[in-house]
Amino acid sequence: MSHPSVEKIKLESRHLRGDLVAGLRDASTGSLSFDDQRTIKFHGSYQQDDRDLRDERRRQKLEPAHQFMIRIRAPGGVFTPAQWLGLDAIATTYANHSLRATTRQTFQMHGVIKRDLKATMQAINAAAMDTISACGDVNRNVLGASNPLQSQLHAQVHAWAQRLSAHFKPATRAYYEIWLDEDKVAESGVEHEPIYGDAYLPRKFKIAIAVPPINDVDVFANDLGLIAIVDAAGQLAGFNVAIGGSMGASHGIPSHYPRVANVIGFVSPQQVFAIAEAAITVQRDLGDREDRKHARFKYTIDDHGSDNIVALMEARAGFKLQPARDYHFDHNGDRFGWVEGEDGLWHLTLSLPSGRIADFEDGRLLLTGLREIAKRHTGQFRMTCNQNVMIAGVPAAQRAQVDALVQHYALDRENNAPSAMARSAVACVSLPTCALAMAEAERYLPAFLSIVDPLLGKYGLRDSPILLRISGCPNGCSRPYLAEIALIGRAPGRYNLLLGGDHRGMRMNTLYRDNISEAQIVEALDPLFARYASERQAGEHFGDFLHRAGIVALPAYPTHVQVAPQEGQ
Ligand code: SRM
Ligand code: SF4
């Protein structure tokens, strides 16, 4: 059966309403119609099925075990303890008893069945959160640095993430009508989407704000990156603007490639909305609406030429970009353990196993432990873009109480993980819920680490912060192309091995071995670890070493960040 194109579905959805109300009421199936499966993404949910059960259900002639993933909109990734407890209660009532911290600073819940979907959405709303445009062809969750050291700047950047998220929220009241029973305010044509228009964007659009020297948001992996520039007094002077980052790729299709964003200039805080709106509307108007694999902003930029796109953005914004300001990134990972903020409050970053917060069968009670902290905590929870959590804003006097709970519930990979690599490793969700997965990722990470750890130990590299990222397919949800070592799923048990990203999120890695097994991965890494251990220079990171030693080639544009002329150049 042929299906209408996503463009047609969007246009005919009456501003994202589709037939969702009727589809949700239909008790004869656990599924939604093809069209509504596309429409519901804009409301922050994906229809999935448990792929572990697929074959068995097919054999039994049953429909797939349909279920829904729900993603929270959380610009800047900040949650109050009350919101945390709300999410915990929702996950244990309606979902699969786990919360999944994502690489975009928010939570997903898996396993919600259609019958419970509306009640789940209402519970999320009652807990003062929503899921609007967490997925779909719109601006997605806006990332903001979680850097705890510069508390004042964090607050400002967080406010910007909130503002941008609110500004680019679709205007339609569809979400409120469908999920919260708000009176119907509009039928077709009555409502107006001032930024998106009736067909929304050709594809998803992502914005992130980084605060140098920490690139914890991987700002260059975003369609629009803002790099906070601080003046001599430590105040926010404005932002360098970077455009055209995105990780998605396909095996064997060279025209579908990952790309880092390039820095195109500087804007003052007063100019941020205008330049962001210019980027989004240029992409709305010029983006490819025929081929969804070629529809991200990066392709619009590469097809039309970066200079032309920048000129168009400037014309729409009504001003010229200033020359980019000087900035420097040290690293793109999280810093674990306690740090004191400028305001004298303390912040504890805990390393979570691929972001999965559950009570595991092996006895680790992460969900329970973090719930106990949330019951007592008076500050915030800040999610990082590396699937970790920060217990933020803890008065010095309350640190011991938090420490005791962390220890009691063994909440921290920091203490439990044998290697620095294990602490910072990121793996996407992949199987069993992700429809696009080709190989395991989250579920494979512990097994892979248990094999690589002895290897690191053999060469005295357990304390070396080598960045490992695994994705179950080339879409790159763990941003694997920016890792020093990446595994990208090809088929069950088989991966591409990519090497040589830097530790600052500014240089992508390159393909080292194609479609290999676990044994072959280990065989490939062993001699490289040996050489790194004996030949590295002081402070040299693994990815940089691989380049200096000529083991991987310096990747060509667009695989490393290019910067427009900076002030004074
Ligand atoms: Fe992603 C699709 C999970 C961050 C690039 N991503 C998916 C879907 C929804 C699969 C699908 O379309 O059916 C995955 C759901 C799996 C599941 O069962 O939950 C999924 N993506 C995730 C998360 C949960 C990964 C994680 O382990 O944390 C992240 C949720 C982010 C969030 O909270 O909003 C997630 N995805 C990313 C990132 C990283 C980022 O944004 O910094 C990327 C790379 C950056 C980018 O956008 O290019 C990413 N996801 C993709 C793509 C490739 C897009 C492309 O333009 O080619 C797809 C496939 C698609 O859209 O067709 C995808
Ligand atoms: Fe699924 Fe692929 Fe994204 Fe992993 S990278 S969550 S397998 S789409």
Side-chain angles (χ1 to χ4, degrees):
M1 191 176 91
S2 79
H3 290 295
S5 73
V6 177
E7 285 303 312
K8 189 162 182 287
I9 294 169
K10 285 187 283 188
L11 271 173
E12 294 178 354
S13 72
R14 294 173 303 119
H15 295 124
L16 311 182
R17 289 173 177 81
D19 279 330
L20 274 169
V21 170
L24 289 168
R25 279 202 200 115
D26 179 359
S28 69
T29 167
S31 168
L32 291 171
S33 71
F34 178 86
D35 291 14
D36 285 340
Q37 287 178 39
R38 270 78 213 154
T39 306
I40 199 173
K41 294 181 186 180
F42 291 79
H43 300 264
S45 180
Y46 266 67
Q47 180 174 316
Q48 306 181 315
D49 71 293
D50 186 332
R51 292 180 59 181
D52 286 348
L53 305 178
R54 234 184 229 180
D55 288 347
E56 181 53 30
R57 290 186 69 92
R58 204 177 288 139
R59 264 195 294 278
Q60 293 187 19
K61 298 197 170 26
L62 295 168
E63 74 170 14
H66 296 301
Q67 55 182 46
F68 289 80
M69 172 270 273
I70 297 179
R71 193 181 280 169
I72 307 292
R73 184 176 69 94
V78 174
F79 293 86
T80 64
Q83 286 173 324
W84 187 284
L85 292 172
L87 285 171
D88 178 313
I90 295 162
T92 44
T93 308
Y94 299 113
N96 66 354
H97 292 243
S98 85
L99 289 168
R100 177 54 159 71
T102 75
T103 50
R104 286 194 80 77
Q105 245 176 350
T106 185
F107 284 110
Q108 285 187 178
M109 286 180 270
H110 294 95
V112 178
I113 55 171
K114 191 174 88 173
R115 204 179 44 228
D116 290 337
L117 205 47
K118 189 161 172 178
T120 311
M121 294 296 221
Q122 294 188 339
I124 290 169
N125 208 262
M129 286 167 284
D130 65 62
T131 62
I132 302 173
S133 65
C135 316
D137 296 343
V138 280
N139 176 51
R140 299 288 190 88
N141 202 37
V142 181
L143 305 183
S146 2
N147 182 3
L149 295 171
Q150 298 154 287
S151 316
Q152 228 194 345
L153 214 53
H154 177 271
Q156 290 181 38
V157 164
H158 180 61
W160 271 109
Q162 298 271 3
R163 277 184 221 134
L164 286 162
S165 177
H167 190 75
F168 293 116
K169 224 161 73 167
T172 174
R173 300 298 296 174
Y175 174 90
Y176 303 93
E177 283 176 20
I178 295 165
W179 307 108
L180 307 178
D181 296 327
E182 185 180 86
D183 286 346
K184 278 202 172 61
V185 291
E187 287 304 332
S188 178
V190 177
E191 255 174 345
H192 176 54
E193 285 284 7
I195 296 174
Y196 294 120
D198 296 342
Y200 296 85
L201 297 180
R203 229 13 183 117
K204 60 182 86 167
F205 193 93
K206 297 183 173 177
I207 303 180
I209 314 175
V211 179
I214 302 174
N215 186 16
D216 56 351
V217 296
D218 263 334
V219 71
F220 301 109
N222 287 263
D223 298 275
L224 176 68
L226 298 171
I227 300 162
I229 302 294
V230 177
D231 64 20
Q235 296 302 310
L236 185 68
F239 300 92
N240 277 352
V241 179
I243 57 168
S246 154
M247 298 279 97
S250 297
H251 292 310
I253 306 180
S255 60
H256 190 207
Y257 49 86
R259 182 194 195 274
V260 283
N262 285 332
V263 179
I264 57 167
F266 172 86
V267 291
S268 68
Q270 294 74 27
Q271 297 173 320
V272 169
F273 281 129
I275 206 69
E277 203 166 312
I280 286 183
T281 58
V282 166
Q283 162 63 358
R284 177 196 66 197
D285 298 340
L286 299 190
D288 188 344
R289 289 187 185 260
E290 296 287 318
D291 176 4
R292 286 184 65 76
K293 283 209 174 294
H294 185 261
R296 290 292 288 274
F297 195 27
K298 62 184 169 189
Y299 301 117
T300 313
I301 295 168
D302 288 346
D303 292 350
H304 291 262
S306 183
D307 291 348
N308 293 327
I309 293 295
V310 173
L312 258 179
M313 283 171 58
E314 289 180 330
R316 290 192 183 193
F319 56 81
K320 282 228 165 282
L321 290 159
Q322 300 170 45
R325 303 269 172 98
D326 208 9
Y327 70 96
H328 172 78
F329 284 124
D330 282 342
H331 64 89
N332 63 343
D334 294 333
R335 282 288 174 267
F336 301 106
W338 284 103
V339 290
E340 187 179 11
E342 293 166 335
D343 52 7
L345 292 172
W346 288 81
H347 312 275
L348 174 65
T349 305
L350 299 174
S351 169
L352 300 169
S354 301
R356 185 67 67 182
I357 302 172
D359 288 346
F360 294 96
E361 277 172 12
D362 66 8
R364 284 171 307 146
L365 304 181
L366 264 61
L367 189 66
T368 302
L370 284 160
R371 182 190 307 140
E372 291 307 313
I373 291 186
K375 283 181 190 165
R376 297 162 177 83
H377 183 38
T378 51
Q380 307 160 331
F381 291 91
R382 286 185 201 162
M383 307 314 293
T384 81
C385 300
N386 295 303
Q387 304 171 326
N388 295 314
V389 62
M390 188 184 300
I391 300 162
V394 179
Q398 286 172 19
R399 272 184 55 175
Q401 184 189 38
V402 173
D403 278 335
L405 287 165
V406 167
Q407 205 177 358
H408 182 76
Y409 289 100
L411 293 181
D412 196 5
R413 256 196 320 181
E414 164 72 0
N415 294 322
N416 309 327
S419 66
M421 181 192 281
R423 254 167 260 154
S424 60
V426 179
C428 73
V429 176
S430 199
L431 292 160
T433 51
C434 179
L436 307 177
M438 298 172 174
E440 297 280 356
E442 176 184 329
R443 292 197 299 197
Y444 177 50
L445 180 64
F448 182 68
L449 287 171
S450 72
I451 289 169
V452 171
D453 185 67
L455 210 57
L456 293 166
K458 180 163 122 189
Y459 298 113
L461 295 175
R462 281 207 172 105
D463 293 331
S464 300
I466 301 172
L467 182 58
L468 166 74
R469 290 178 176 175
I470 305 182
S471 271
C473 84
N475 282 311
C477 298
S478 62
R479 297 186 294 272
Y481 306 101
L482 290 168
E484 294 177 289
I485 301 176
L487 304 186
I488 298 184
R490 290 288 307 244
R494 300 191 75 84
Y495 298 85
N496 283 358
L497 173 64
L498 291 84
L499 297 176
D502 70 358
H503 52 282
R504 299 174 297 151
M506 297 185 76
R507 181 186 63 223
M508 288 182 7
N509 46 31
T510 39
L511 182 63
Y512 185 69
R513 293 278 186 272
D514 190 15
N515 196 9
I516 57 176
S517 65
E518 179 180 88
Q520 291 168 311
I521 296 167
V522 174
E523 201 177 271
L525 290 177
D526 191 320
L528 301 181
F529 286 162
R531 283 192 63 183
Y532 176 54
S534 63
E535 296 172 30
R536 66 183 153 166
Q537 295 173 349
E540 189 173 35
H541 285 260
F542 185 58
D544 294 342
F545 163 75
L546 294 175
H547 280 280
R548 187 177 58 78
I551 295 164
V552 295
L554 189 69
Y557 170 82
T559 54
H560 56 278
V561 175
Q562 309 231 318
V563 185
Q566 300 195 344
E567 246 185 357
Q569 287 182 338

